[in-house]
Amino acid sequence: MADPLPSGLLEACVVVGASVDKLNDICQCSLQMDVTTDLLSLEPEVLQVHVPPFITKNNAAESASHSTFSRVQCRRSFIRKKKRPVAGSSDPVVARGGEGPTCTQDVSVPKDIDLTALPQLCFPGGLQVTTESIEDHFHFLVFTDLFGNQTHGVVVQCYRPFQEGHWSSKKTTTLYTAYAICLISKHPYYNALKDCLSCLLLQLRTCRLSEEKVKEFAAKLALVPVPPPGQLHLIFHLRPLMIVLPSREDKDHSAVDLGLHLPFLCFGTKQILQIITGILSEQRLVLISADWARLTLVAECFMHYIVPLRWQHPYVPLLSRQMLDFIMAPTAFLMGCHLSHFDQVALETDDLILVNIDNGTVSSSSSETLDLPDVPFAAAECFAKRRKSLRCYYDLEVCHQGTGADINEMQVLRRQWQQKLNQDIQNVTLELIVNIFRDVGVHLNYEHRVFNSKEFLKNREPADQPFYKKVLETHIFHSFLKDRLNRKMDAFTRMEVNTRSVTQKMKAMVDDPRRPTMQQMARKYSVGPESSLSKRRGLSLPNLGDEHSLCLLRSSSLKKIIPESAFSVLPKPVKIFKLPEFPHTMMHHCVLNYYGEMIQLLGKAMFCVPPEDSSLLARYFYLRGYMNAVCAKRLDALSDFQNLYKTDIDIFPAVLVKTLVESLQKDERCQADKRAELKWLISKVMKDNETALVQADNKVKNFRLPKTHMQLEDFVKRVQESGIVKDVATIHRLFQALTLGQQKQIDPELFRVFYTFWKETEAEAQDVDLPADVIEHLDDNECVYKLSCSVKTSQGVGKVAMTQKRIFLLTEGRPGFINITKFRDIEEVNISSSPFLLLRIPCLKIRSRLKTDVFEANLKSECDLWNLMVKEMWAGRKVADDHKDPQYMQQALTNVLLMDAVVGCLQTQKAIFAASKLAYFDRVKHEVPMMVPKTTSETLKHKINPSLDLSAPQTVHVLLYTPGQLGSSATVSNGNPKLWCALSGGRVVVFDATSWSMQHNSIQVGSSQLNCMLGLDQDQVWIGSQDSIIYIIDTRSMSCNRQLTEHRREVMDFTLSEGRDTMSQMYSCSADGTVILWDTATLKVKKHFHLNCDGLLSIQSFSGTLWCCSRDSVIELRRNGTAHRRMCLPEDLRSMPTRFSSLLLFLERDQLWTSCSDSNEICLWHSKNLATPLLRVSLQNCSGVSCMIKVKNQIWVGCRGLSPGQGRVSGTIYVVNTEEHIVEKELLAHADTVQALISAEDRYVLSGSGCQDGKIAIWKVE
């Protein structure tokens, strides 16, 4: 079981050297013979082991009672010999452990520290006795257990004389031997621990290497906590240096306390990419250097370079000479050894990648050439370009500065330079990983956790495929896929989203089969790097009448998609917290005073933090909670950790809090129950303990063709896994087509033939090569989806081609372009027969409203199929134009391609009839004309689909529009206005409101339904949930890391308090009648009151009063929260099963407007008379009102209605004139109830609907 208390800086301090007995033997031999020319090798042993806690108190039982957690259960016993020193001896060795009675000492050490192997690692080249003193030498260690948990060590070897010369007939000699001091930590603080050892060495120069001196040193380091993830660094004074502990970036990454530029000083760009390739493809790599210290540091640098991928195989960056047989392991590994073993390693082991750090070469042990594939060309080119901008030479940066006299000041300057350079290198290497794996998400099926590796590989450039073939089969990539399928919002995801090109953003709006666009074809004929075909791109609000959103792009090489400028992240400001001075002695009361002083300093620091800097405040809360836990102040610790909900939930220590709750004494539990926040926290912890934890499905599957017959449900799953289509309704129609006249199940052979035909058709489309003269007549984003064989037509002989916009003829002989018609211009499509000799050949006829002549094509056996396809595209185009929804056209295109595949795989007389089952739009056009009223068509601007990545549409529960940030320092995309959409299950989707492209397809906010959203200060979005929690999203990082937990029922609505600074205070309300006034800067509760009502729905503020709408009444509240007036349902509605659904205030006109959930009327009330409505406005064909908003002098009312003559539920919007009290417009908005309405700067209104429709409609306001 892991220790619930997070480990501090020090896990153990171990001193290793030669045993006293062996040194005594050498002393005796040196007096009898000449050893000046011999180097004697000794076996190193563990001499001292110092582990926390270091509390020296006579009463052990009393000492234990003060400790919250005992570390003993996490340790094992290590028994070593210990000899009592001889009093008065001046020999440092004898004084430390000289002659005397022998006893044993039982030392408790951490279980994951192997003291058996540690002496070899402390002296990897062996321990020797020399006749000359050797300079102190540092090196670094990494220990990895079976579960992949790492422990880090920093070792210093210091040589000391152990025998003074004696006058004799022989030469006088002085012998030296080394002692190694190893600091072991759970955290990779290489530089910090190295500085600590340097301070210890300075002290040991003036005194002997005594056990008490080392123990005191270790005891001080054991008091040092480790900073939580974020931008708070810790600093402490260890004479004469100031030691800095940098924090890690987030909980998924380790701290960076070394120079990440070291490999850039050792290797060229080609070699760095070769090493990264070797790591990503899980080769057997051996680092080699003549300097032991370089091995671990360089290996650790490359581990940081591949983030977010993680090495998952044996990792021993430093091997002693006794461990060289590790290199014989058959599995992948990354190890390091001394240069002197190079020939031995290269000769005895095959297939090793040998990385020589000293001369910057990468070679193979089995051949002269290195059998490693190249990194994808475009990613490598970008990396090479970025590397040139790195400033890796500190001396060049400070050559203009004078020499500093203060070593700590010089360290600060060097540290600042290193921190900035490390950040630049992390950005460059992360961009490399993003560019390599950018398109992985396109080939993932999130619902079934499937990665279609064959399709991903097929869409790579031929020269890049060897690289991907090796990498895609590795464990490291498999783990990476798990994070992508879990929609992890990490640095990779953020950079991938922020560096998407315009075409990639537009591509995310449609789910399309992959075909090359005209723009991609035109690159073959483009002379310069900038193609003129890109001139139509833009970020302004699109012309919603054209097909700009149908930019169908295949997943092409990175050469075509890498942005011109890399995504650069400004360095985050770093705060420093200085720990108090260490106590003079390690007595129990001194240590408690030290902890108490640290808690006081943290409190003072928190007092100085500005309210808006919640991230820094969270780090202080975490540290103070940790120190309170160490001091057994459990309630104070729980209070600090509970505050992390308001400041940064990402660093919440769940295991530690659980242990604190379980260790509460009876009196502490009673005190906690009196504090609401602690009572909530304890109940949540207990509830989490009682709830059985369901293991999440973390598997990643590759797509496999089925081997058994499939019923409908299994068929849906298989088709979705294949990536052909996601929409369940479309797959149902495909099932009907393939099972026509048969049992309702799909044979696996039929599925294989269908899938093969689909993929072959897709591959053939990639090979379509249109002449440059033809491409000029087509739009950039057009793709050829169907090309007939050469046929005779009324325009000559040629091939009939179909794109998503038009049909054209590709003439033969001299290739030419003849535009037949666009789909929106078609008037009639039919089949006739034309005579040919004694036969009559089927002929497809297409009449266009722009041409007088009818186009005819003798398509022979393909005529029926082309007839179906053209009619479906024609119908889809009409519906898309009428509804201003480009996805209808995309759906029609998918139907057409499925028709083609069905006919191709069935090859029977009924194939055309089977394909007709997929002609959805053509059938709907004839059965139920989808006519859009003129008023609706004129008002509707556009429709978007927030459920595009899902297999079925979801209900749009809440909409929020946030304006842009003109002139901000944010990136262009972050500065644009945004549309926030809350779907079912706590999923939030964000659109760029300038192009309506999807910016973030899944921000998870809890798991319950979301009821309300409000934007604050352009950098926060507050979201109220059914689970009673208010979630706060940081709009800069798009992370949801703060929660307000004061409500106990569903959070229903927000409203800003009126005043000078309207953003400083905000009200929230919950269904149980609770109303809370928040200080939005500090997130503290300023007021809290309760209403006696039936289900509070909404709250609004006006002129210092609050208006609260519940199911049965509307209540006006005074400033102190007491009810002033109450308005009940109209008398004629009280007997009906209905309730208030929404309230609008027009108090500047003394008006209130209300609506009911099961009434077709909205009521106007006078604010002076709340007894009866002043008048009622009837809404025709409405069965209930779900929402209302005020826009200028209008009220937009979202309703649940019935489609005229069809009896189906529909979503209708009524626009009511508040001056004339009449319905100005009736808009047939959706195929399901209108669930949400929001105004965009009074220029547009956006509406969201229920799950039968799931679309968002954009309406213009007049």
Side-chain angles (χ1 to χ4, degrees):
M1 176 181 175
D3 191 343
L5 192 64
S7 59
L9 175 62
L10 185 72
E11 281 288 300
C13 176
V14 182
V15 178
V16 178
S19 68
V20 175
D21 294 337
K22 291 183 178 179
L23 289 178
N24 287 337
D25 291 342
I26 293 177
C27 286
Q28 296 298 325
C29 293
S30 66
L31 297 176
Q32 302 172 10
M33 62 187 69
D34 187 2
V35 294
T36 56
T37 59
D38 297 331
L39 291 178
L40 302 177
S41 295
L42 300 175
E43 188 70 24
E45 297 179 7
V46 174
L47 302 179
Q48 302 176 28
V49 180
H50 305 286
V51 294
F54 296 94
I55 299 177
T56 58
K57 189 169 185 179
N58 294 330
N59 190 338
E62 186 180 354
S63 175
S65 69
H66 285 80
S67 179
T68 305
F69 303 103
S70 173
R71 293 184 180 271
V72 175
Q73 74 273 14
C74 299
R75 302 177 182 276
R76 58 180 172 80
S77 177
F78 172 73
I79 299 177
R80 66 179 175 89
K81 290 183 178 180
K82 182 179 180 181
K83 296 189 178 181
R84 296 189 181 96
V86 177
S89 173
S90 61
D91 191 315
V93 176
V94 176
R96 177 180 48 80
E99 295 298 330
T102 302
C103 65
T104 61
Q105 182 183 24
D106 190 350
V107 182
S108 173
V109 299
K111 286 185 176 181
D112 48 3
I113 297 178
D114 184 3
L115 291 182
T116 304
L118 186 61
Q120 298 177 11
L121 293 172
C122 288
F123 291 97
L127 173 59
Q128 297 172 335
V129 174
T130 67
T131 57
E132 293 182 357
S133 179
I134 299 177
E135 185 180 359
D136 298 341
H137 186 276
F138 289 85
H139 66 270
F140 310 92
L141 305 174
V142 178
F143 314 95
T144 308
D145 64 16
L146 294 175
F147 304 101
N149 302 312
Q150 290 187 346
T151 306
H152 308 267
V154 178
V155 181
V156 60
Q157 295 178 5
C158 48
Y159 277 79
R160 296 292 183 268
F162 71 92
Q163 175 195 3
E164 297 296 331
H166 295 273
W167 289 105
S168 65
S169 58
K170 300 181 181 181
K171 276 195 301 184
T172 302
T173 61
T174 301
L175 301 183
Y176 297 84
T177 187
Y179 297 95
I181 305 174
C182 178
L183 297 182
I184 299 175
S185 175
K186 286 287 186 184
H187 311 277
Y189 286 117
Y190 298 113
N191 285 338
L193 294 178
K194 180 181 176 182
D195 289 346
C196 291
L197 284 173
S198 299
C199 295
L200 176 62
L201 292 180
L202 287 175
Q203 298 177 29
L204 295 179
R205 287 178 181 175
T206 59
C207 63
R208 63 193 179 191
L209 182 63
S210 67
E211 185 167 349
E212 287 304 317
K213 180 68 70 174
V214 177
K215 183 177 180 180
E216 178 187 355
F217 168 76
K220 290 180 179 179
L221 296 187
L223 299 179
V224 177
V226 171
Q231 293 301 307
L232 178 64
H233 296 184
L234 299 185
I235 187 171
F236 60 93
H237 188 203
L238 195 64
R239 290 184 177 88
L241 298 179
M242 299 299 295
I243 313 297
V244 175
L245 297 183
S247 60
R248 46 189 175 148
E249 184 178 347
D250 55 54
K251 59 184 179 182
D252 296 321
H253 296 89
S254 58
V256 180
D257 190 31
L258 74 167
L260 292 182
H261 67 296
L262 295 180
F264 289 89
L265 301 179
C266 300
F267 302 102
T269 300
K270 179 181 178 181
Q271 286 72 35
I272 290 178
L273 293 176
Q274 286 176 333
I275 299 170
I276 291 176
T277 301
I279 295 173
L280 295 182
S281 58
E282 295 183 346
Q283 301 294 315
R284 302 161 70 211
L285 292 98
V286 179
L287 305 181
I288 297 173
S289 175
D291 187 344
W292 295 106
R294 296 179 187 174
L295 296 172
T296 298
L297 295 180
V298 170
E300 286 286 275
C301 287
F302 279 101
M303 294 299 100
H304 286 286
Y305 291 174
I306 65 170
V307 169
L309 290 88
R310 298 181 296 276
W311 180 258
Q312 299 181 7
H313 292 278
Y315 178 63
V316 190
L318 187 148
L319 292 172
S320 67
R321 63 184 179 183
Q322 296 91 340
M323 298 177 177
L324 288 179
D325 56 341
F326 286 15
I327 294 178
M328 305 297 291
T331 183
F333 57 74
L334 196 159
M335 300 185 186
C337 69
H338 197 269
L339 181 63
S340 59
H341 307 304
F342 180 90
D343 294 334
Q344 179 184 353
V345 170
L347 290 175
E348 295 185 6
T349 311
D350 295 333
D351 300 325
L352 293 182
I353 305 298
L354 304 176
V355 180
N356 191 319
I357 299 174
D358 298 340
N359 61 20
T361 60
V362 182
S363 59
S364 172
S365 64
S366 57
S367 63
E368 295 183 0
T369 59
L370 189 61
D371 185 21
L372 277 178
D374 293 332
V375 169
F377 176 77
E381 288 290 300
C382 183
F383 176 77
K385 177 181 177 182
R386 305 287 183 239
R387 179 188 173 165
K388 293 178 181 178
S389 64
L390 295 175
R391 307 165 75 98
C392 296
Y393 298 96
Y394 179 68
D395 289 342
L396 290 178
E397 301 300 313
V398 298
C399 59
H400 64 283
Q401 298 178 1
T403 303
D406 187 344
I407 185 173
N408 285 312
E409 182 180 342
M410 295 171 64
Q411 274 193 320
V412 169
L413 295 176
R414 171 75 189 220
R415 196 178 295 118
Q416 291 174 347
W417 170 82
Q418 188 68 70
Q419 179 185 344
K420 182 181 182 304
L421 179 59
N422 284 352
Q423 182 68 49
D424 292 341
I425 291 174
Q426 286 176 298
N427 286 338
V428 169
T429 55
L430 178 60
E431 185 191 33
L432 172 68
I433 300 298
V434 169
N435 288 337
I436 291 174
F437 298 112
R438 181 184 295 274
D439 283 345
V440 165
V442 178
H443 300 271
L444 290 177
N445 182 287
Y446 293 92
E447 183 177 2
H448 302 295
R449 301 188 65 82
V450 172
F451 173 61
N452 200 328
S453 57
K454 290 183 179 179
E455 286 304 304
F456 174 82
L457 195 59
K458 189 169 68 175
N459 284 276
R460 302 305 97 202
E461 291 291 324
D464 298 338
Q465 290 188 7
F467 173 87
Y468 288 106
K469 285 179 180 178
K470 280 186 174 289
V471 173
L472 263 55
E473 301 299 324
T474 61
H475 290 84
I476 191 172
F477 180 72
H478 185 82
S479 178
F480 172 76
L481 284 181
K482 287 181 181 179
D483 289 339
R484 299 316 109 199
L485 286 169
N486 293 335
R487 298 183 184 274
K488 187 174 183 179
M489 181 58 71
D490 54 10
F492 177 94
T493 302
R494 287 190 290 270
M495 178 173 280
E496 193 278 325
V497 169
N498 287 324
T499 56
R500 286 176 182 170
S501 63
V502 177
T503 51
Q504 286 172 319
K505 292 177 182 178
M506 300 309 299
K507 177 189 173 184
M509 297 176 60
V510 292
D511 183 17
D512 62 283
R514 291 173 289 276
R515 301 292 191 275
T517 62
M518 295 304 110
Q519 188 178 45
Q520 291 168 332
M521 289 187 183
R523 286 194 179 97
K524 302 174 185 178
Y525 310 102
S526 177
V527 177
E530 296 293 333
S531 174
S532 61
L533 292 172
S534 62
K535 63 185 179 182
R536 297 183 180 90
R537 296 180 184 177
L539 281 174
S540 59
L541 190 68
N543 180 358
L544 300 173
D546 64 19
E547 294 92 347
H548 180 62
S549 60
L550 279 177
C551 182
L552 307 179
L553 301 176
R554 71 182 276 259
S555 301
S556 57
S557 73
L558 287 166
K559 179 168 57 176
K560 304 168 186 176
I561 63 175
I562 291 178
E564 185 63 26
S565 59
F567 172 66
S568 57
V569 179
L570 294 176
K572 298 178 181 178
V574 171
K575 298 293 183 180
I576 300 292
F577 176 73
K578 186 178 185 300
L579 303 183
E581 293 291 333
F582 290 117
H584 296 293
T585 62
M586 290 297 111
M587 298 298 292
H588 188 265
H589 68 277
C590 295
V591 172
L592 288 182
N593 290 338
Y594 174 81
Y595 288 150
E597 184 180 357
M598 190 183 303
I599 292 173
Q600 289 181 0
L601 290 176
L602 287 168
K604 293 179 181 178
M606 293 163 66
F607 182 78
C608 299
V609 176
E612 63 272 11
D613 197 352
S614 61
S615 177
L616 178 59
L617 197 60
R619 273 69 200 168
Y620 287 136
F621 274 126
Y622 179 96
L623 281 174
R624 195 172 70 175
Y626 173 86
M627 300 314 302
N628 280 321
V630 171
C631 296
K633 299 179 180 179
R634 300 178 185 87
L635 294 184
D636 291 343
L638 288 175
S639 179
D640 284 329
F641 292 138
Q642 201 277 336
N643 277 311
L644 294 179
Y645 277 89
K646 292 183 179 180
T647 50
D648 192 348
I649 193 64
D650 284 347
I651 62 173
F652 184 79
V655 176
L656 174 56
V657 171
K658 176 177 177 291
T659 308
L660 282 169
V661 170
E662 292 174 347
S663 64
L664 289 176
Q665 304 297 319
K666 187 175 181 179
D667 59 330
E668 291 175 324
R669 185 62 181 269
C670 293
Q671 295 179 43
D673 289 341
K674 297 177 183 178
R675 298 166 61 176
E677 73 280 2
L678 292 187
K679 185 177 180 180
W680 178 88
L681 179 62
I682 293 172
S683 65
K684 184 178 185 302
V685 171
M686 301 303 291
K687 182 180 178 181
D688 292 343
N689 288 344
E690 294 172 1
T691 305
L693 295 177
V694 179
Q695 269 300 0
D697 181 11
N698 246 351
K699 296 180 179 178
V700 181
K701 297 176 287 187
N702 271 319
F703 173 69
R704 297 284 187 269
L705 289 172
K707 297 181 179 180
T708 59
H709 287 74
M710 290 159 283
Q711 303 293 333
L712 176 59
E713 183 178 353
D714 192 27
F715 179 73
V716 171
K717 177 182 176 181
R718 296 290 187 172
V719 173
Q720 289 176 338
E721 288 179 354
S722 70
I724 293 175
V725 63
K726 296 177 185 176
D727 181 61
V728 174
T730 302
I731 300 175
H732 284 188
R733 291 192 289 270
L734 177 61
F735 183 81
Q736 293 176 4
L738 292 176
T739 59
L740 187 66
Q742 303 174 9
Q743 293 183 352
K744 294 303 178 181
Q745 61 180 10
I746 301 293
D747 181 270
E749 178 61 19
L750 177 60
F751 189 95
R752 185 193 66 79
V753 174
F754 171 78
Y755 179 80
T756 303
F757 189 90
W758 175 276
K759 292 303 177 184
E760 287 177 351
T761 304
E762 187 176 296
E764 290 172 1
Q766 303 291 343
D767 296 331
V768 172
D769 191 8
L770 299 180
D773 294 341
V774 173
I775 293 175
E776 290 179 356
H777 293 86
L778 300 173
D779 294 340
D780 293 353
N781 56 359
E782 281 191 84
C783 307
V784 175
Y785 285 92
K786 181 68 176 176
L787 191 66
S788 74
C789 24
S790 184
V791 297
K792 180 182 178 183
T793 73
S794 57
Q795 300 287 338
V797 177
K799 296 180 180 180
V800 181
M802 182 184 75
T803 72
Q804 71 268 34
K805 296 182 180 182
R806 75 184 83 223
I807 298 173
F808 68 90
L809 183 66
L810 189 62
T811 59
E812 288 197 344
R814 182 180 179 185
F817 172 87
I818 298 178
N819 186 45
I820 298 172
T821 181
K822 289 187 176 183
F823 291 113
R824 60 163 49 98
D825 298 327
I826 294 178
E827 286 187 338
E828 182 183 4
V829 179
N830 57 49
I831 296 178
S832 64
S833 58
S834 61
F836 179 74
L837 300 177
L838 300 177
L839 303 175
R840 299 195 67 83
I841 300 176
C843 177
L844 179 69
K845 292 187 176 182
I846 303 175
R847 182 184 299 276
S848 172
R849 64 183 178 84
L850 300 180
K851 296 182 179 180
T852 57
D853 297 334
V854 176
F855 174 78
E856 298 182 11
N858 298 336
L859 289 165
K860 303 173 187 176
S861 60
E862 290 187 298
C863 192
D864 290 328
L865 175 60
W866 274 87
N867 180 51
L868 276 178
M869 292 193 300
V870 174
K871 285 184 176 180
E872 179 70 3
M873 293 294 285
W874 174 26
R877 179 74 272 168
K878 186 177 187 314
V879 173
D881 287 345
D882 290 345
H883 290 262
K884 309 292 179 65
D885 188 350
Q887 196 186 6
Y888 283 127
M889 191 62 195
Q890 182 59 40
Q891 186 177 345
L893 179 59
T894 301
N895 294 342
V896 162
L897 296 175
L898 291 173
M899 290 177 193
D900 188 26
V902 166
V903 172
C905 75
L906 291 181
Q907 297 291 333
T908 64
Q909 295 180 347
K910 295 183 177 180
I912 294 297
F913 182 62
S916 67
K917 297 293 183 181
L918 292 158
Y920 172 75
F921 290 104
D922 188 49
R923 183 171 66 255
V924 168
K925 184 179 71 173
H926 291 90
E927 294 177 358
V928 185
M930 300 176 69
M931 297 297 295
V932 178
K934 181 179 179 182
T935 303
T936 301
S937 180
E938 291 176 348
T939 309
L940 179 64
K941 293 293 294 180
H942 191 49
K943 278 190 178 181
I944 53 179
N945 182 14
S947 303
L948 183 65
D949 288 340
L950 306 176
S951 59
Q954 291 192 5
T955 298
V956 179
H957 292 286
V958 193
L959 291 173
L960 172 69
Y961 174 86
T962 54
Q965 305 176 46
L966 297 178
S968 70
S969 60
T971 60
V972 175
S973 59
N974 287 337
N976 290 340
K978 295 180 179 64
L979 173 65
W980 303 71
C981 172
L983 304 179
S984 302
R987 177 172 172 155
V988 175
V989 175
V990 184
F991 290 89
D992 185 328
T994 58
S995 60
W996 303 118
S997 60
M998 190 179 291
Q999 192 170 8
H1000 294 275
N1001 62 0
S1002 181
I1003 300 175
Q1004 198 61 39
V1005 182
S1007 57
S1008 303
Q1009 176 183 316
L1010 305 178
N1011 296 326
C1012 51
M1013 292 195 289
L1014 183 68
L1016 288 177
D1017 293 330
Q1018 295 185 339
D1019 59 2
Q1020 292 181 25
V1021 170
W1022 289 39
I1023 303 179
S1025 173
Q1026 289 276 66
D1027 62 11
S1028 78
I1029 296 176
I1030 297 174
Y1031 296 90
I1032 302 177
I1033 293 181
D1034 185 334
T1035 60
R1036 292 164 295 186
S1037 64
M1038 288 298 175
S1039 59
C1040 181
N1041 59 357
R1042 288 191 283 171
Q1043 300 176 13
L1044 305 180
T1045 60
E1046 276 69 10
H1047 285 287
R1048 296 295 174 261
R1049 289 285 302 278
E1050 308 96 298
V1051 181
M1052 302 304 295
D1053 198 15
F1054 301 121
T1055 188
L1056 291 171
S1057 175
E1058 296 180 322
R1060 293 182 179 179
D1061 186 0
T1062 59
M1063 292 290 180
S1064 64
Q1065 296 183 6
M1066 188 188 69
Y1067 289 95
S1068 64
C1069 68
S1070 53
D1072 60 354
T1074 300
V1075 178
I1076 297 177
L1077 176 62
W1078 300 92
D1079 184 316
T1080 58
T1082 62
L1083 302 184
K1084 292 182 178 179
V1085 176
K1086 303 196 69 172
K1087 289 182 182 178
H1088 185 288
F1089 46 89
H1090 184 80
L1091 299 181
N1092 184 17
C1093 61
D1094 177 24
L1096 188 56
L1097 298 175
S1098 64
I1099 185 171
Q1100 297 181 53
S1101 176
F1102 185 83
S1103 295
T1105 61
L1106 286 177
W1107 292 81
C1108 303
C1109 178
S1110 67
R1111 296 171 184 268
D1112 60 350
S1113 61
V1114 174
I1115 307 169
E1116 181 185 8
L1117 300 180
R1118 295 188 179 95
R1119 290 180 180 269
N1120 59 7
T1122 59
H1124 176 50
R1125 290 187 295 170
R1126 183 182 294 263
M1127 179 177 70
C1128 300
L1129 283 168
E1131 293 186 6
D1132 59 319
L1133 298 179
R1134 294 175 189 174
S1135 60
M1136 299 173 58
T1138 189
R1139 58 182 177 83
F1140 283 122
S1141 61
S1142 53
L1143 166 71
L1144 281 181
L1145 301 179
F1146 272 81
L1147 293 181
E1148 62 273 14
R1149 301 184 188 176
D1150 293 327
Q1151 293 180 0
L1152 283 79
W1153 293 78
T1154 62
S1155 64
C1156 294
S1157 59
D1158 296 294
S1159 172
N1160 65 346
E1161 297 177 333
I1162 58 173
C1163 299
L1164 169 62
W1165 308 71
H1166 196 284
S1167 62
K1168 305 299 182 182
N1169 178 18
L1170 303 183
T1172 57
L1174 185 63
L1175 61 87
R1176 305 185 183 197
V1177 178
S1178 178
L1179 308 175
Q1180 190 177 3
N1181 297 323
C1182 171
S1183 59
V1185 177
S1186 54
C1187 51
M1188 297 192 302
I1189 62 170
K1190 178 173 66 174
V1191 185
K1192 296 182 178 178
N1193 65 336
Q1194 300 172 337
I1195 294 178
W1196 288 59
V1197 186
C1199 301
R1200 178 182 70 255
L1202 296 176
S1203 299
Q1206 299 178 28
R1208 297 184 303 172
V1209 174
S1210 65
T1212 308
I1213 296 176
Y1214 298 88
V1215 182
V1216 178
N1217 187 309
T1218 58
E1219 296 177 350
E1220 301 180 9
H1221 307 143
I1222 60 172
V1223 176
E1224 290 183 341
K1225 294 180 181 180
E1226 179 180 346
L1227 308 175
L1228 300 182
H1230 299 279
D1232 201 349
T1233 305
V1234 177
Q1235 296 284 354
L1237 289 170
I1238 190 70
S1239 171
E1241 303 172 0
D1242 283 347
R1243 295 174 55 213
Y1244 298 100
V1245 168
L1246 300 99
S1247 61
S1249 65
C1251 62
Q1252 296 301 316
D1253 180 90
K1255 301 286 184 67
I1256 297 173
I1258 304 164
W1259 310 86
K1260 64 180 180 181
V1261 176
E1262 296 177 350

